[in-house]
Amino acid sequence: MILALMLLSVRLAAAEVPPTPAPPANSTVAALKERFLAATDDVERARTLELIAATNPTSARDVSALFDLFSRFPDAIVRQKSMESLARLHPGMPELEPLFMTYLRQDEPESQLFGINGAFRLRSEDALPMVRRIAQRRFKAPAAASIDALSERNAWWTQYEALSALAQWQGEKSESLLVKKSQESPAVAHLLGQFFWSRTLPRIAQWSRSSKLGDRQRAVEASGAPIEPAEARATRDAMLTLVGDTTVDAEVRHKLALKVGAVSDDGEVSALIAKHDSAGDAKTRLLWASAVFASHNMKAVPLLEKYARNDPDELMRRGARALLVDLLGEEKVSALLKDDKVNKK
């Protein structure tokens, strides 16, 4: 089932994202915000949100407009697009620093989260201690999902955002804090994997073999973090060793297998296929198949055809067929797979 879901998710990840429309000449975030508020239909509001996301805030008025949208509308899309615009700030705007420090001083988690993101984009040294104090708070629960009260759940995410900002802002200076906080919330280990991959990989192996549930959860979170291809390439051999290590948690091995496959060249894909073919049990074969399929390499076609044609699980067959379409195109796959058992939808 893990591999079947992975096949579909890989296909979705490869889908093209429609381009963001260019904002009108001389438009401002503040003006676009008013246009959004005045819109009378959902299509116009959605189009205006895309324009806001593509527009650089250049003044305190623009920042205030984004904050108003972010705080007034709890809708996830409105907040996402507001943050995308805010991310266009650059450090050369020190006149905006007091505004974000004002947000950081407010009690509402939403205000603090907005302030964290703005201060991070500006690299405001005056705001840095405030961001660090938020990051140092004790998590009220290991995961946000386990918190019932909305305000406390938002506070959890605000603290997580502060830790993420520090990891990018201060680099290795923040690493020890993130390790400490990952003991309170395994989800923080995701940030360790994302921003300190090569240093975290040995920890992943250690955590995965631990008798403590929290450590094993940290291993899963860290191993699933997105990393740059160059980082994956540099640590491929170490990850490959862990994938083949049966003392390592199965979910961790699967996540590492995807990373290994994604940066494998032709010869390495052939070696992964050989590991798949020589595996002594079904679970191990699926693990190596994950790596092969994540490579998006043409050498994976025969194995994908085998799974698409013969696997007893319908979801697996559909996922394998979807990846074949990505590699070969619909017409060739339709000609290749004539077995009625293959679901073409």
Side-chain angles (χ1 to χ4, degrees):
M1 182 61 71
I2 289 178
L3 179 57
L5 293 176
M6 180 278 291
L7 291 169
L8 292 177
S9 66
V10 168
R11 179 104 189 285
L12 290 173
E16 292 187 5
V17 178
T20 301
N26 301 320
S27 65
T28 66
V29 171
L32 289 169
K33 174 220 166 183
E34 295 304 322
R35 175 173 161 182
F36 172 81
L37 295 178
T40 57
D41 64 84
D42 291 341
V43 173
E44 177 62 19
R45 288 165 72 89
R47 184 181 295 114
T48 305
L49 279 177
E50 292 297 335
L51 293 174
I52 288 172
T55 303
N56 297 4
T58 59
S59 66
R61 185 164 178 252
D62 284 343
V63 171
S64 296
L66 289 175
F67 178 71
D68 186 48
L69 284 174
F70 186 85
S71 58
R72 189 193 302 190
F73 298 94
D75 179 81
I77 298 300
V78 175
R79 288 186 166 178
Q80 175 190 335
K81 297 306 176 182
S82 300
M83 282 298 181
E84 287 179 17
S85 176
L86 190 66
R88 293 174 173 272
L89 285 173
H90 56 83
M93 305 176 73
E95 68 277 8
L96 298 180
E97 291 184 21
L99 193 56
F100 291 110
M101 293 178 71
T102 297
Y103 299 142
L104 284 167
R105 291 190 184 100
Q106 294 182 20
D107 294 331
E108 297 80 7
E110 296 83 357
S111 301
Q112 293 177 1
L113 190 145
F114 191 88
I116 288 166
N117 278 272
F120 165 65
R121 296 299 171 186
L122 295 179
R123 300 300 196 273
S124 170
E125 289 300 320
D126 289 340
L128 181 57
M130 302 170 71
V131 174
R132 191 169 184 86
R133 280 195 293 274
I134 293 172
Q136 289 173 330
R137 294 187 306 216
R138 183 167 185 82
F139 278 105
K140 292 191 175 182
S146 63
I147 302 174
D148 293 329
L150 179 60
S151 60
E152 292 185 2
R153 192 159 62 243
N154 288 341
W156 192 100
W157 281 114
T158 297
Q159 183 175 354
Y160 185 92
E161 192 76 6
L163 288 164
S164 177
L166 288 179
Q168 300 169 76
W169 196 340
Q170 292 194 297
E172 293 179 6
K173 290 182 179 179
S174 67
E175 186 179 5
S176 61
L177 176 61
L178 267 69
V179 172
K180 177 182 178 182
K181 289 300 168 183
S182 71
Q183 294 175 331
E184 299 174 14
S185 172
V188 176
H190 184 90
L191 299 175
L192 287 165
Q194 183 175 359
F195 299 117
F196 309 106
W197 177 253
S198 63
R199 297 162 64 90
T200 300
L201 188 55
R203 291 191 179 107
I204 291 174
Q206 179 183 355
W207 290 336
S208 178
R209 300 185 183 103
S210 172
S211 61
K212 297 178 180 179
L213 177 60
D215 285 344
R216 298 197 299 275
Q217 290 174 334
R218 288 200 283 179
V220 171
E221 291 285 354
S223 62
I227 60 174
E228 294 295 325
E231 288 185 301
R233 187 68 225 177
T235 57
R236 184 183 182 278
D237 290 346
M239 288 193 291
L240 189 63
T241 298
L242 294 177
V243 172
D245 188 341
T246 57
T247 68
V248 173
D249 177 84
E251 188 172 356
V252 171
R253 294 170 71 198
H254 175 255
K255 291 179 183 297
L256 295 179
L258 298 180
K259 288 178 167 61
V260 166
V263 294
S264 294
D265 59 28
D266 283 356
E268 291 163 342
V269 171
S270 295
L272 293 173
I273 294 172
K275 286 181 179 293
H276 169 276
D277 294 344
S278 64
D281 61 273
K283 288 184 178 180
T284 303
R285 281 194 296 275
L286 288 177
L287 189 66
W288 293 117
S290 298
V292 174
F293 298 161
S295 72
H296 287 272
N297 190 292
M298 292 299 294
K299 288 192 173 185
V301 169
L303 192 58
L304 281 167
E305 180 186 356
K306 177 181 177 181
Y307 276 91
R309 191 182 294 281
N310 300 319
D311 197 273
D313 184 88
E314 180 184 341
L315 185 58
M316 182 76 75
R317 296 196 305 273
R318 290 175 58 194
R321 187 184 192 281
L323 282 179
L324 278 172
V325 170
D326 288 340
L327 290 171
L328 302 176
E330 178 64 44
E331 185 176 349
K332 288 185 178 179
V333 172
S334 295
L336 182 67
L337 302 175
K338 298 179 180 179
D339 192 326
D340 291 339
K341 188 164 58 175
V342 178
N343 191 322
K344 297 182 179 182
K345 293 183 181 180

